[in-house]
Amino acid sequence: MGETNLAAIVNLDGRWGDELEANLDRYDRAFPERFLTFCHIDWRRAAEPDGVASLERELRDSAARGARGIKVWKDLGLVVRGSDGALVMPDAPEVVHLLGVAGELGLPVLIHVADPRAFFDPADHRNERIDELSAMPQ
């Protein structure tokens, strides 16, 4: 029989710090070459004094620990607010800077930037996603 090539499973929920370390131990280190864990950035912290510099240090730490990429969830652009109270969008300077650091570190970025339009329409009988919206109104 020939050699078996297994595809890696990507864990998009790696988080950062101690939680990232636990995920790396649980998956990547326990099963080398089988799992790839992506870290996150806590975008809410970018609005804090020295927040972007702190997040850059944390991102570099995540890469040094073994994170293989970054997953940017949809809270960026929908929930996370800057110091001025406005939503932080994916093209905000602090986001562009930190994702640029990811590029320098060789970390691919997966970013969730959109939801179906129906998620923003009234949740009534005319909405094509009414079943989903009724089950998860948030």
Side-chain angles (χ1 to χ4, degrees), residues 4-11 31-36:
T4 302
N5 291 323
L6 298 175
I9 297 169
V10 179
N11 171 14
F31 304 96
E33 304 304 318
R34 187 70 175 124
F35 290 92
L36 305 174

Side-chain angles (χ1 to χ4, degrees), residues 44-113:
R44 298 169 298 173
R45 292 182 35 217
E48 298 172 359
D50 196 41
V52 174
S54 175
L55 288 171
E56 181 176 336
R57 287 190 298 275
E58 188 169 80
L59 177 57
R60 291 181 185 283
D61 177 67
S62 293
R65 289 174 187 250
R68 302 291 293 273
I70 298 174
K71 171 61 175 155
V72 179
W73 294 101
K74 66 182 178 180
D75 60 341
L76 185 69
L78 287 176
V79 177
V80 176
R81 296 192 178 272
S83 58
D84 61 358
L87 288 172
V88 177
M89 303 307 284
D91 63 349
E94 61 272 26
V95 175
V96 171
H97 170 74
L98 289 166
L99 296 183
V101 171
E104 292 171 16
L105 296 170
L107 299 175
V109 176
L110 296 178
I111 184 168
H112 185 134
V113 294

